[in-house]
Structure formats: structure tokens, C-alpha cells
Amino acid sequence: MSAIDYLGVAIYFALLFYIGFRSVKQVSDSDDFAVAGNRITWPILFATLAASFLGGGASMGRAGQSFAEGYAFMFAASGFPIAVVLSGLFVAPRLKRYTGAYTVGDVIEHHYGAGARLFTGIFSLIFCVGILGAQALAIGTVFNTILGMSTTTGIVIGMVTVLFYSTFGGIWAVIQTDVVQFVMLAIFLPLTMLIGVHEVGGASALLDRLPDIQFSVFGSYSVGAFASLFVAFLLGETLVPPYTQRALSAPDSRNAKIGYTVAGMFGFVFYFVSATIGLLAKVLFPDITPDQALPELVRMAMPVGLIGLVLASLLAVVMSTADSYLNSSAVVFVHDIYERFIQPDLSERKRLWLERGVNLAIGVGAIVFALYASSIVEALLLSYSLWAPTVLLPFVIAVMWRISSRHAGLAAMVAGALVTGFWKWSPWHLEHVTGLTAIIPGCLANLVVLGSVLMIERGSGGPASFAGRE
Amino acid sequence: MIFYDIVLYGSAALSMAAAALVTVLAVRFYRDNSA
């Protein structure tokens, strides 16, 4: 990389620090730290949500998978942007009914009581810290593969920057940096694709130089395997804590609806761009490993001056995801666990400083895990396959149909977790033997128990609903 | 072939247009909120 490329990366980091300094003034209470005072209009919501859900997996991961398998993986993964569009049309607008809500746990408690909230809070925390650790590792990988810098130095530089602006500026800083990061990824990754298409000799040359199976919808997947993967993407990461927090940050239902729906539609475009980059790398550098597809195209095909900006965009992709999960971890711990179950009489000032302190502590913890105990990050990431079979369905059903129950929510969460865990990790390897991803039986168990407990409660004249805090 | 051209170049154009739109609206948003 030349000096001008390093300058591009340096300007990007300087901009993040500048936003961090400026945002301190905008955060005067916990409302500002967690939901930006409910002032996030749809264009900002669109940018921050897209930047948050388009992380290392959607960029380098998607390029690597299409390098190996063609567009088929992208078609299967499109379950996720479909889920974002559907959430935008049906769930996000309804979340604005919950005045004063900050987290998924707030909504869950309203419908299912304190036990379900505690489960949701603890689970959300584990989930967010796991994803944060994974993004910290991805930041190190980007520095290492493109700059040749050690992974350790890369993790420290990237995560200390994220820690700085998110600790002082809270969600305000996260959202403002997300907008910068969105603009960078939305310009420079398509530009990388266009330059790659030019290198290959045009779109028709790309079509000619790869076998047809690389462009087919199912590729080498069986219909069952494709459907299983599609469902896993449709449900796996839908409405996880940082994304729900974005909907709660909107001023009204209309802004939440438009911001979410447009972000979902942008997801299709970005997935296509990333997957095409993988195919271009397959033509230009057939002997590399799939995970090198995007970094190699940047290194070999980009002109001097652009390499630095594309590197900054790749860092933007992972850092914008890391900052969102870090902020959510702090908000969930303070709001759903500490304030609700340990010290309910927190003053406004103490709560804000506690959120900042927890933000700092979790961020430092994530750096340490990523550097010295990546197996802990892997263990925490196991929670990824448990979100949909535990919290997601009771959450969506409650928001859509306003059901309430003292026992159904917690019972369904526990049942979903047990069945998913058994399917995935039992000695019989059911996921491997049946070819059915654990999320499907887990979600079915979750739904059956939710419905059964609701019917039993209503049949016995028990509490079909109870006073919530809406 | 022509369809693939449209999807390829159209997706790049859409993405960059989204970046331009967000930039303009974000500048307006920050001006309003820092006043």
C-alpha cells in the first residue's frame, strides 16, 4: 500500500474520533445513550440498520461462499433481507406502541412477566458479547490480510477506536459513525465490483468463464438443504437486540416502517455485490482460498489511492456491526438486568455513567477474549443458533397479536433452547443425520409450548393477561 | 446476458444512489439536531 492509501485509512479513523468527541455533548441522559432520544428519522435509521446488519459475514463471508459455491448461497441467505423487510412492514411500526421501551426485554416483560424478561436479558447479553468478539476478530483479519499488520495490533487499533466513541457518545455516536460507514460501504464495495468486472472483460466474459451452476439458484444444494439454509437465515438474526433498539429509536411508526423496509431492500443489493465479488475473484485468482476472495481482489485489482479507501470501507463494515452490539450489550445489562433486578432506584446520572462503564468493561473484555481466548468467543457464539427458537417467536407473536401470559413466554423459551441444544449438540448428531438445521425443530417446540401453555391458562381461567407497563 | 448486465450495473448504481441520498438527508438531520 502506498502513502496515499494509508492517508485514506487515517482520515477514516480521524473522522470516527471527531464524531466521538462531538457526540459527548449530545448525550445527557440514558435516553440519549440507549435510543438517541427517539429522534432517528428513517434515512438515518435505514443507514444505521443496514451498516449494523451488514458485517463481516455479509461482505467477506458472502464473497468467500460465492467463490466456493456460486450465487446459490446468496439466494439461500436472502432469507435475512426478506425477514428485515417483513419486520419493517409488520413488527417495527408496532414497537412504537411501547412508550419508554429501550430493549427486547422491555417488550417481553410487558407480555410475559419478569422471568421471561430476565431470560431475555441474560440471553441477549451473551448473544451480543459473542457477536462483538467475532467482529473484533474480523477487524484483526482485515488489518492482517490487506495491510499485513499483525492481527493483535489490528484488533487493538480497531476496537479501541470503537470503544472510544461508543463509550462517550453512546448510541448517538454509534448511529453517526454508522452513517459514515454506510456511505463508505455503499460506494466502495460496488466500485470494487465494477473494477473487477472491467478486469474480467465485462459481464458477458464473467458469464462465459464460469460454469452455469455458479449462477443457478440452487447450485449444488438439494432442495431440502437449500430450504433449511433459507429458514436459518430468515429467522436466525431477525430482530436481535441492536436491530430492535433501532426501531425503538425512531420517533414514530412511519419512520420505523420506512427505515426498516428500505434497509431490508438494500440488503439484497449488497448481498449481490458481495457475491459477485466472490465470482470475479474465482475467475481472476482461481487458486486462492475462498476467505481470501475479497481481500485479494482489493489488493490486486484496485488502483493506488483506492486501496486505502476500500480497506477503510471493509473496516467500516465490521466496525459498524461491532459498535452496535457493544452499545446493545451495555444497555441490556444495565436496563434489563442491573436496574430491573439488582438496583431499581438508580438515578438518571448514575444510570448513564453505569452504561458508560459497562460499555467500556464489555469492550475491553471482548478485546481480551479475541486476543487470548478465541474459544470463549466461539462458546458465546453458540448462542447465535438459539435466538430464533427462544426469544424471537414469542416476541413477534406478542407484538403482533398482543397476547399476554405469566408462564407461556418463559416455558416456550426454555423448551426452544432445550430442543435446539439437543438437536445440535447431542451425541446422535441429529442435525447432521437428518439434514435439518436445529433452528427448525427448536422453533416448532417453542411454538407448541407457547400455544399449549396459553390454552391451558385460558382453559383454567388463569391469567390470560396482566397489567403491563405499555 | 442483457438482464445480467442490468442487474450488475443497476445494483452498483442503486447502492451509490443510496449512499448519495443518505449523505444529503443525514447532513440535513445533523444540522437540525445540532441547532
Side-chain angles (χ1 to χ4, degrees):
Chain A
M1 258 185 30
S2 68
I4 195 163
D5 289 315
Y6 282 105
L7 184 66
V9 178
I11 290 172
Y12 165 67
F13 274 93
L15 192 57
L16 297 184
F17 275 99
Y18 172 71
I19 291 172
F21 276 119
R22 266 183 56 108
S23 307
V24 177
K25 286 186 288 183
Q26 285 171 292
V27 179
S28 56
D29 57 26
S30 192
D31 241 22
D32 293 325
F33 192 91
V35 288
N38 298 107
R39 280 178 288 177
I40 303 305
T41 53
W42 76 260
I44 311 299
L45 177 61
F46 153 45
T48 180
L49 182 62
S52 300
F53 70 65
L54 298 172
S59 53
M60 285 170 285
R62 210 65 76 242
Q65 283 136 357
S66 76
F67 179 97
E69 300 166 31
Y71 279 135
F73 193 90
M74 174 198 76
F75 284 115
S78 65
F80 179 69
I82 289 173
V84 177
V85 171
L86 292 175
S87 303
L89 292 175
F90 301 109
V91 183
R94 289 178 166 86
L95 287 173
K96 291 309 298 177
R97 284 202 309 254
Y98 302 88
T99 312
Y102 288 6
T103 61
V104 177
D106 277 326
V107 179
I108 287 286
E109 180 171 13
H110 176 74
H111 292 277
Y112 300 114
R117 185 203 186 120
L118 183 62
F119 181 99
T120 305
I122 293 171
F123 187 73
S124 299
L125 186 64
I126 294 169
F127 180 90
C128 289
V129 175
I131 304 271
L132 174 64
Q135 296 299 322
L137 284 168
I139 291 172
T141 307
V142 175
F143 270 106
N144 180 258
T145 49
I146 299 183
L147 279 177
M149 193 181 272
S150 82
T151 309
T152 304
T153 314
I155 291 173
V156 171
I157 293 175
M159 285 301 291
V160 166
T161 309
V162 168
L163 259 182
F164 171 78
Y165 66 73
S166 64
T167 298
F168 290 103
I171 195 82
W172 263 117
V174 169
I175 284 172
Q176 291 179 57
T177 50
D178 277 357
V179 170
V180 172
Q181 288 155 338
F182 170 82
V183 170
M184 293 180 71
L185 68 90
I187 291 176
F188 291 111
L189 283 186
L191 193 62
T192 305
M193 179 187 77
L194 291 179
I195 290 173
V197 170
H198 176 74
E199 288 287 317
V200 165
S204 52
L206 177 61
L207 284 172
D208 291 341
R209 291 171 69 177
L210 287 174
D212 286 348
I213 196 167
Q214 296 270 354
F215 298 93
S216 69
V217 174
F218 293 110
S220 54
Y221 291 108
S222 66
V223 175
F226 183 91
S228 187
L229 204 53
F230 180 84
V231 171
F233 274 100
L234 184 75
L235 300 175
E237 206 180 307
T238 299
L239 292 165
V240 294
Y243 309 162
T244 299
Q245 209 180 322
R246 294 296 186 279
L248 295 168
S249 306
D252 52 43
S253 297
R254 181 182 159 274
N255 277 284
K257 183 177 188 172
I258 300 175
Y260 243 79
T261 311
V262 178
M265 291 193 287
F266 182 80
F268 291 109
V269 175
F270 191 84
Y271 275 23
F272 177 76
V273 168
S274 300
T276 305
I277 287 174
L279 292 187
L280 291 163
K282 179 93 177 168
V283 172
L284 294 168
F285 322 106
D287 300 325
I288 60 171
T289 54
D291 59 329
Q292 285 293 312
L294 178 52
E296 190 70 8
L297 189 69
V298 173
R299 251 200 317 259
M300 304 305 287
M302 290 292 111
V304 171
L306 266 184
I307 296 179
L309 291 172
V310 178
L311 168 62
S313 313
L314 288 179
L315 288 169
V317 165
V318 273
M319 288 169 76
S320 57
T321 303
D323 63 17
S324 299
Y325 280 91
L326 176 57
N327 178 268
S328 265
S329 308
V331 172
V332 162
F333 176 78
V334 173
H335 197 66
D336 282 346
I337 300 171
Y338 190 83
E339 190 183 13
R340 180 66 184 82
F341 296 100
I342 299 170
Q343 193 185 351
D345 56 343
L346 266 183
S347 70
E348 190 56 54
R349 190 178 152 76
K350 266 191 182 166
R351 192 198 301 158
L352 174 61
W353 280 102
L354 186 62
E355 278 168 341
R356 283 183 165 147
V358 172
N359 195 85
L360 187 66
I362 290 176
V364 170
I367 295 173
V368 172
F369 288 166
L371 289 178
Y372 304 109
S374 55
S375 56
I376 292 180
V377 176
E378 281 167 28
L380 292 172
L381 276 174
L382 296 178
S383 63
Y384 190 84
S385 49
L386 291 170
W387 175 258
T390 54
V391 181
L392 176 66
L393 297 176
F395 176 58
V396 170
I397 289 168
V399 172
M400 293 291 295
W401 292 285
R402 301 190 185 206
I403 61 160
S404 291
S405 160
R406 274 196 196 281
H407 309 292
L410 186 58
M413 289 173 192
V414 172
L418 290 176
V419 170
T420 307
F422 182 76
W423 202 269
K424 208 170 175 63
W425 299 299
S426 75
W428 297 280
H429 306 290
L430 293 172
E431 200 168 44
H432 181 69
V433 172
T434 60
L436 193 64
T437 179
I439 210 170
I440 296 173
C443 284
L444 285 175
N446 181 265
L447 274 180
V448 168
V449 171
L450 185 75
S452 305
V453 176
L454 273 173
M455 283 203 296
I456 292 167
E457 277 184 352
R458 285 184 186 174
S460 64
S465 66
F466 59 93
R469 300 196 304 165
E470 195 170 334
Chain B
M1 190 90 80
I2 292 171
F3 175 72
Y4 190 58
D5 275 313
I6 293 171
V7 175
L8 203 64
Y9 295 109
S11 61
L14 259 178
S15 183
M16 291 180 189
L21 178 73
V22 164
T23 305
V24 171
L25 295 175
V27 167
R28 191 183 296 172
F29 174 81
Y30 294 135
R31 209 174 42 209
D32 293 348
N33 274 279
S34 56

